[in-house]
Amino acid sequence: PGAEVHAAGAGTIGYAGPLAGRAVVTVLHPGGLRTTYLPVRPSVRRGQRVSRGEVIGVVQDVPGHCRTACLHWGLLRSRSYLDPLLLLGQGRVRLLPVWPMGPR
C-alpha cells in the first residue's frame, strides 16, 4: 500500500476514479492500446497527458483476493485483453489452474 504506480507508456488518462468499489486509472495509448491499473488512488485526472514512467497514483490497501496489497495491471486493444508483459518484452502470463475443492 502506498507504492507509486507509473504509466507503462505515454498517453492520455481515459479514466481516473472509482469503479466497482475500487479506484482505477486507465491510460489510452497511441495505436488503440490502453492500460489499466487498480486499485490505485489516482494523482492524475481524465484528459491529462502522461509520459512513460510518470507517477499516476499509489496502490491502495483494498481487501480483495490478494492476501496483501497488490496491483492489477491490464492491457487491452478494443475489448480484447492482451498480456501486459508484452509491453516489457517479457514472456507470457501463466495463470494458476483451478483445482477442484476437496476430494471427488
Side-chain angles (χ1 to χ4, degrees):
E4 291 182 338
V5 178
H6 303 261
T12 303
I13 301 300
Y15 186 81
L19 183 67
R22 292 194 166 82
V24 176
V25 175
T26 300
V27 180
L28 307 174
H29 304 280
L33 294 176
R34 70 184 186 273
T35 49
T36 59
Y37 310 80
L38 69 128
V40 173
R41 186 174 66 236
S43 59
V44 292
R45 66 188 185 294
R46 186 173 185 255
Q48 180 178 336
R49 302 247 338 124
V50 294
S51 54
R52 180 179 180 195
E54 186 173 334
V55 174
I56 57 174
V58 296
V59 176
Q60 288 184 302
D61 188 11
V62 177
H65 73 273
C66 296
R67 291 186 178 155
T68 61
C70 61
L71 173 68
H72 296 271
W73 179 37
L75 173 64
L76 294 98
R77 175 176 284 127
S78 187
R79 292 184 176 187
S80 298
Y81 282 90
L82 305 172
D83 182 348
L85 293 178
L86 293 171
L87 297 173
L88 304 176
Q90 301 292 316
R92 299 187 61 182
V93 171
R94 289 185 170 72
L95 300 175
L96 294 175
V98 176
W99 300 105
M101 301 292 250
R104 292 186 198 210

